Amino acid sequence: MSGGGSFTSDQSVAHATSTAQMVPTGQRARLTSIQAKGNSASGSIIFKTGGASGTTIATFLFGQEGLDMYLPGSGILFNEGIHATIGGTGGVTITFT
């Protein structure tokens, strides 16, 4: 397959094992996939834009099965970075543009 003009964006990946600013607050990003390890019956990830005290954009709850989600279309837009409040999981990996 030849590349070039058919690709519309590059993907980046970030991983965290505890609550963290995964994409810097000055950076616009679109969340396109999420993977999280299931450690307990009550895992959670709360994604915010604008840092730890910013606006909640999405909340995901899961159990021991973990979370493996690809977001359709252009993903979820975060205008001021991506902050993840993480609970009940050993790690979270996100893909973003």
Side-chain angles (χ1 to χ4, degrees):
M1 177 170 118
S2 63
S6 64
F7 300 105
T8 58
S9 67
D10 293 322
Q11 297 284 312
S12 295
V13 177
H15 180 78
T17 56
S18 61
T19 295
Q21 186 70 39
M22 298 185 79
V23 177
T25 55
Q27 183 177 333
R28 184 175 184 260
R30 289 188 178 273
L31 183 63
T32 56
S33 77
I34 309 160
Q35 293 180 319
K37 182 178 180 179
N39 273 359
S40 70
S42 59
S44 67
I45 309 167
I46 301 169
F47 290 108
K48 295 181 179 185
T49 191
S53 61
T55 303
T56 298
I57 301 295
T59 300
F60 295 92
L61 306 175
F62 53 94
Q64 291 179 332
E65 73 280 1
L67 180 68
D68 189 6
M69 177 176 283
Y70 296 93
L71 302 166
S74 297
I76 301 172
L77 176 62
F78 291 76
N79 284 316
E80 291 292 325
I82 300 174
H83 181 276
T85 302
I86 299 167
T89 179
V92 174
T93 301
I94 63 168
T95 306
F96 62 95
T97 58

